Structure formats: C-alpha cells, structure tokens
Amino acid sequence: MSAHFKINKQASMLMWTLFMLMAPLSVYLMLKNKTTLIEWVLFNVSSSPIMMTIILDPAGTLFSSTVLMISANVLQFSTIYMKDDKFIDRFTVLVLMFVLSMNMLIFFPHLMILLLGWDGLGLVSFILVIYYQNPKSLAAGMITALTNRIGDVMLMLSIAWTLNQGQWNILYMWETSAFTWQSVAILLAALTKSAQMPFSSWLPAAMAAPTPVSALVYSSTLVTAGVFLLIRFYPFLSSTTWFNQTLLLIAVSTTTMAGLSAMTECDMKKIIALSTLSQLGMMMASMGLGMVNLAYFHMVTHALFKALLFICAGTLIHNHMHSQDLRWMGNITTQMPTTTSCFMLANMALCGAPFMSGFYSKDMIVESSVFYSNNLIMLTIILFTVSLTSFYTIRFSLATIWGPSNCSPFIKLQEETSLTTPMLALSLMSVISGSTLIWMMPMNQEPMTMSTTMKIMPMIMVMSGLIAAWYMNTRQIKHVPLLMLTPMMHYASCLMWFLVPLSSQFTMKVPMYISHNYLKSLDQSWLEILGGQGVMSSSFMASNSMMKTFNTKPVNYLMMSSILMLLVLATM
C-alpha cells in the first residue's frame, strides 16, 4: 500500500509546486494589469492559419492558481479517504488529467485548441463519475456524458460558423452573417457545462463520483468551465440584443430551483451540489446584469469555500462508514473540533457572512443589482434566493453539528493530519481570499450611493432565512415546512421541480421504445432470417433432406460436393 500512497503524495506535491510557480505570476500580472499572447502557426488551411495560442492574463493565471491549490489539497485529502482503494494510483492519474484539461481550457483562447480541454473535461468527468463501477454510477455517468455532449456539439458548430472569419481566436471575433447562431451555440455550450436550466439534472446525479472528485470537479473546475467560457466570450456575446436578458432569466430560474430543492434534500453531497448550482446561477445572473468582473470574482471565492465544504463533508462521510444521509449524523462538535470549525467557516462564507470571502463577492453582486436600474421581479427573486441559501445551510448545520447523534455508538470519529491540513489551508483562503482579491484585482468599480435599507438588504435576507430555518427545524414535527405540506410539493422539491424526469426519463422513453421495436423486428427477426443464421439453417435443412432422400454412399457425397462446387463457380 505504501507505493500507492507515494504516488498520491507525489501528485499532491507536484500540484503545490505548480501552484508556487503560478501564484507569483498571477500576482505580478494582476498588479501590472498585463496580458501576454504567445502565438505560433501550426499549419495553414488554404489561407486560414491554424495557430497555437497561449494567453497569459490576470484572470486566467489567477483561476489556474486556484484550481492548482484546490487540487493539491484534494489529492492530499484523497490519501486517507481512498486508502482502501486498490486503484488509488489510477484515480490520481485521472484527477491530474482533469487538472490538465482545465488548464488547457484556461490558457488556450483558440476555439479549435480549446476543444481539446473542453472534451478532455467531459471525458475524464465521465470516467470519474463511473469510478465505482456499479449500475447507479453508470446511470449517473451516462446522464453527465450525454448532457455534456450537447455542449460539445454546440462548440463544434460554433467552430464551423466561425470558419468565414478565417481565424478562431476568441479575442478577435467580429459580427458576421452567422453571428446570432454562433452566440446561441456558445451560450448553449456554457449552459450545459455549468448545469443551468434545463440541463441541471446531471449535477446532483454526478455526485456518484468519489468525494475527492466532487470537491475538485464540482467546486472549481468542470461546472465553472461554462462560466469561464462566457467570461472569455462576453465582449463578443453581449453585443447581441437578447443575450443578457436570456442569460439573466435562465440564471435566476436555476438559482431559485436549486435553492428550493436543497431545502428538502437529505443526501449531504446532493445538498452541496444544489448549493453549487445555486451559486452558479448567481454568477450567471451577475453576468446577465453586465457585471462580468463580479461574476469572475465570485467564481474564484466560491471555488475555495465550496472545496472546503466538500472536504468537510467528505471527512464526515469517511467517519460515518461512507454514509451520506444527514439523518444518520449529528453532534460532531466534541469529537471533531477542527472539522466543525472549518465546516462553520465554509457555511458562513457561503451565506455571505460579513468579512468572509463570500461576503465580498456575493454581497457586491446583490448590492450592484439593487443599485443599477434592473427588472424588479428579477431583483426580488435574487434577494429571495439569498435567504434560501442561509435556510438550507442552517438546516444542514443543525443536522450535522448541533443535532443529536443518530449513528451507531461504535463509530469512532477521528481527524487525521491528511484530513485537517487541506481543511485548514482552504479555511484560511476562505477567510482572506475575498479581501485580498478586492484589493488586488484590477476592477473599475464605481462608488454606489444607496440608502441604509438598501445597503443592509442582503444581510436582512440572510438573517430571515436563518431564523426561518432555525424555527422550522428545532420545533415539533407539526411545524412542517411549506414544501412538504403535500406529497406533490415534496416530490417536486426532491426531483428538482420535475427537471430530473423531464430531462432524462421523459426524453429517453420514445428513443428507447423505437430502438426496442427495431431490435425485435429487424435484428432479431428479418436480419437473422436473411442473414448468416437464416442461410445456415436453410442449407442445414436442405442437406439433411438430401441425405434422407439419397442412399448414404461415398459416391453420393462426391456428387453433392461437386454439384455444390459447380454452383459456387457459376455464381462467381
């Protein structure tokens, strides 16, 4: 086993080394606000050069540093979480391939070369989701892969529609006759990768992957790839008249649906997945309101505290015999003090508690949306979803930290160094990253003058959600939450407002029926009769009848074989 751990520890050290190289570069580029483009021509198609382009800009290098730091902590955490796994070295290599794909997506602004990183993310995520090799994992992997395939196809179509520009560089795109189609294709590609409506059902399903994968993939890499693509393409896409309004509507719908579903979910990892979906909706909404820098800022801070939340959840799952049910946990304060502290820090950052990293990005998004003249309905829904976040966070904390323990008394809860070190490193980042970035990032934020009520509105919504959750979850059972009053409401909430059956089972029914009938009527009937099996059975019957008709003498056999030979020669 020591050899396996060695590979894993080396992988973690490799990530830390790359982070140490990338972090100073990103700080330098951020302070100088410089962008460097490196281009070389690979070959020419007619007069169109296919170029290998690498972009070194503050946004890309900072996000790459974040990904490398999170993956270093996750790989260290996996040495304990996956210690009983025989194939831990294979798992480590897959995670490293994932990080490589993400970095390719960040640093290659060329549509054709970007497709390598984009497809790499989809392929490796599928392999990681089906890692445990059981029917549930396979079903989840298929939903993940097939939904992401839609995005891949859209990206390929956008490459085809960009052909008449003579180049595929994201930074130099201009309006052509296929401009609207390009915008639609790129938007759809980003929506599938970031699991926005109506493609949301794959994200909670993909929680079938091992927890270290969830911590890396669903906090900072795969799901934010779509957001990052839109940030890169934003100057080109926002010149369409419909882009911002459409994105805002989809984002607000997603964040509300995810928040409501998380209120009734009992699977720990699914709650965090729905929380990620809600925050992705918040990023997309801020982009829909034209606040691209804030969307990027929230993406970086969210990656850090969400990875911390996943690692804390993974520690609890690891100590509770890999059970993910909230109702089986509770009272971890005394036995797991480090996990409890980090867990509470991550939850505070998620809710946007003052001076945590989430506060600087999330609060600014909400304040900016209040300050600038926007649609009142959209603004009301955004404020409502802020209260939903604190509601499901308090419910989560009540079940795991402050509630009574419901598990077996023979479970020993313990915290090892490989679990606490990543937690403490990410906790530090969850506290300081927001304030550090707001000082260092080259953002041109204009001063906002607003009344005291408007200023504290996000905090009021957070507190109202907190109080409502505390009241509903600590009172007697008669205070049933509104979403559980009727079976239909409860089913709707648990099935992501029927998005799961509508986007998976519903769409599969007709193709499944057609293919089943096709199998029975063609493959197993006509093709068998007319194909090799039918010919074999008919020739077998003919030879048997001939043998019965004629006497079984050697001359007869010779006659039959010679007649057969003549027939073959005649047909040839």
Side-chain angles (χ1 to χ4, degrees):
M1 291 296 267
S2 60
H4 295 320
F5 285 153
K6 203 172 174 186
I7 293 167
N8 223 5
K9 280 175 181 166
Q10 282 173 347
S12 181
M13 284 309 296
L14 172 69
M15 290 293 107
W16 277 119
T17 311
L18 291 171
F19 169 71
M20 294 299 176
L21 294 170
M22 190 61 75
L25 176 65
S26 75
V27 170
Y28 170 76
L29 290 173
M30 233 190 305
L31 293 173
K32 293 280 186 182
N33 199 8
K34 285 175 86 173
T35 299
T36 308
L37 270 177
I38 304 163
E39 288 186 341
W40 61 93
V41 179
L42 298 176
F43 55 91
N44 287 307
V45 177
S46 173
S47 60
S48 303
I50 304 294
M51 288 189 290
M52 183 78 172
T53 314
I54 294 175
I55 184 169
L56 295 171
D57 66 329
T61 48
L62 174 64
F63 192 47
S64 176
S65 308
T66 311
V67 170
L68 289 169
M69 188 205 163
I70 290 170
S71 54
N73 285 307
V74 163
L75 284 165
Q76 191 176 350
F77 163 68
S78 67
T79 55
I80 295 295
Y81 190 87
M82 311 278 290
K83 68 180 177 186
D84 298 325
D85 195 348
K86 289 180 183 177
F87 306 110
I88 192 165
D89 43 358
R90 182 199 296 172
F91 171 78
T92 309
V93 170
L94 283 170
V95 172
L96 290 174
M97 282 170 67
F98 205 94
V99 177
L100 174 70
S101 299
M102 191 65 205
N103 279 293
M104 284 169 78
L105 186 78
I106 292 167
F107 289 119
F108 296 154
H110 191 282
L111 261 178
M112 279 195 174
I113 312 290
L114 177 137
L115 197 65
L116 292 172
W118 188 266
D119 259 352
L121 283 176
L123 188 65
V124 179
S125 66
F126 171 68
I127 297 167
L128 285 168
V129 169
I130 63 165
Y131 184 79
Y132 284 135
Q133 295 179 12
N134 53 38
K136 186 189 169 190
S137 295
L138 181 62
M142 287 309 291
I143 289 175
T144 306
L146 292 173
T147 312
N148 282 312
R149 262 348 255 167
I150 299 168
D152 299 345
V153 169
M154 287 298 152
L155 207 60
M156 285 176 186
L157 283 173
S158 68
I159 288 170
W161 280 318
T162 320
L163 191 67
N164 58 357
Q165 292 190 11
Q167 53 84 34
W168 287 271
N169 200 315
I170 291 171
L171 310 172
Y172 311 138
M173 293 179 82
W174 59 83
E175 294 186 31
T176 57
S177 55
F179 171 57
T180 309
W181 294 108
Q182 278 171 277
S183 306
V184 170
I186 293 163
L187 178 63
L188 278 172
L191 292 181
T192 52
K193 212 59 139 189
S194 291
Q196 299 296 296
M197 282 181 82
F199 310 110
S200 306
S201 60
W202 71 262
L203 186 60
M207 288 296 123
T211 305
V213 174
S214 306
L216 176 65
V217 171
Y218 308 111
S219 67
S220 62
T221 49
L222 182 70
V223 289
T224 51
V227 182
F228 193 79
L229 188 80
L230 284 188
I231 289 169
R232 278 263 195 262
F233 270 105
Y234 188 77
F236 170 69
L237 294 171
S238 58
S239 49
T240 56
T241 50
W242 49 267
F243 174 75
N244 285 55
Q245 292 91 328
T246 309
L247 187 62
L248 182 63
L249 181 66
I250 291 168
V252 165
S253 310
T254 307
T255 192
T256 313
M257 178 274 299
L260 289 169
S261 294
M263 285 168 68
T264 51
E265 187 59 63
C266 289
D267 187 320
M268 181 185 265
K269 279 171 73 176
K270 277 195 179 172
I271 290 176
I272 305 176
L274 289 164
S275 154
T276 302
L277 201 51
S278 180
Q279 297 306 308
L280 286 166
M282 191 66 82
M283 292 169 213
M284 291 287 197
S286 69
M287 216 181 302
L289 294 168
M291 302 179 286
V292 189
N293 283 337
L294 289 182
Y296 174 76
F297 183 25
H298 190 50
M299 183 172 78
V300 174
T301 54
H302 167 261
L304 292 161
F305 63 72
K306 192 50 64 75
L308 171 63
L309 199 56
F310 265 117
I311 287 179
C312 292
T315 307
L316 290 177
I317 291 166
H318 176 63
N319 280 310
H320 286 88
M321 297 178 173
H322 290 261
S323 166
Q324 293 173 200
D325 201 318
L326 281 181
R327 294 164 293 191
W328 205 50
M329 298 178 186
N331 196 21
I332 60 163
T333 321
T334 48
Q335 294 186 62
M336 304 176 78
T338 314
T339 308
T340 308
S341 310
C342 295
F343 197 56
M344 288 177 74
L345 280 173
N347 281 334
M348 283 164 71
L350 175 64
C351 290
F355 313 113
M356 298 293 290
S357 64
F359 169 74
Y360 290 96
S361 53
K362 193 174 176 181
D363 206 63
M364 202 182 280
I365 288 170
V366 178
E367 278 180 22
S368 302
S369 57
V370 170
F371 178 70
Y372 297 113
S373 54
N374 290 310
N375 189 323
L376 182 65
I377 298 167
M378 292 293 171
L379 182 58
T380 312
I381 297 171
I382 288 170
L383 285 166
F384 173 63
T385 53
V386 169
S387 64
L388 288 182
T389 305
S390 58
F391 186 98
Y392 61 71
T393 303
I394 289 297
R395 177 175 166 265
F396 194 14
S397 302
L398 276 167
T400 51
I401 300 173
W402 303 306
S405 179
N406 297 317
C407 65
S408 160
F410 302 108
I411 287 179
K412 185 192 176 196
L413 305 176
Q414 55 187 0
E415 298 175 322
E416 297 177 47
T417 317
S418 289
L419 296 177
T420 53
T421 311
M423 268 193 246
L424 293 169
L426 287 167
S427 295
L428 178 68
M429 294 308 293
S430 295
V431 175
I432 67 165
S433 63
S435 52
T436 311
L437 288 174
I438 211 161
W439 280 100
M440 289 173 65
M441 269 177 76
M443 282 200 295
N444 184 20
Q445 184 63 43
E446 58 188 278
M448 294 185 287
T449 49
M450 47 207 320
S451 65
T452 314
T453 314
M454 286 166 75
K455 183 77 179 164
I456 61 167
M457 186 55 78
M459 282 297 108
I460 292 169
M461 296 311 291
V462 167
M463 291 307 293
S464 61
L466 191 151
I467 292 160
W470 188 275
Y471 179 77
M472 282 187 188
N473 290 289
T474 53
R475 297 284 154 196
Q476 297 299 319
I477 201 74
K478 62 184 177 182
H479 294 288
V480 180
L482 188 65
L483 292 174
M484 291 192 179
L485 284 174
T486 61
M488 181 60 82
M489 290 283 278
H490 190 208
Y491 280 132
S493 181
C494 291
L495 290 171
M496 295 172 71
W497 299 92
F498 300 115
L499 206 62
V500 176
L502 281 173
S503 63
S504 50
Q505 290 101 317
F506 177 73
T507 50
M508 283 161 59
K509 194 169 183 180
V510 175
M512 186 78 179
Y513 177 75
I514 292 167
S515 62
H516 191 65
N517 276 344
Y518 175 83
L519 180 77
K520 286 196 292 187
S521 59
L522 281 177
D523 271 19
Q524 294 174 352
S525 58
W526 284 108
L527 288 177
E528 280 188 1
I529 292 166
L530 299 172
Q533 199 172 335
V535 170
M536 189 201 79
S537 63
S538 58
S539 61
F540 191 70
M541 284 167 64
S543 66
N544 276 352
S545 60
M546 283 177 79
M547 282 173 72
K548 283 177 185 173
T549 310
F550 303 114
N551 293 326
T552 52
K553 290 178 182 177
V555 181
N556 291 343
Y557 285 118
L558 285 168
M559 280 292 291
M560 280 170 65
S561 59
S562 58
I563 290 165
L564 194 64
M565 184 65 74
L566 287 167
L567 282 170
V568 170
L569 287 168
T571 52
M572 285 172 70

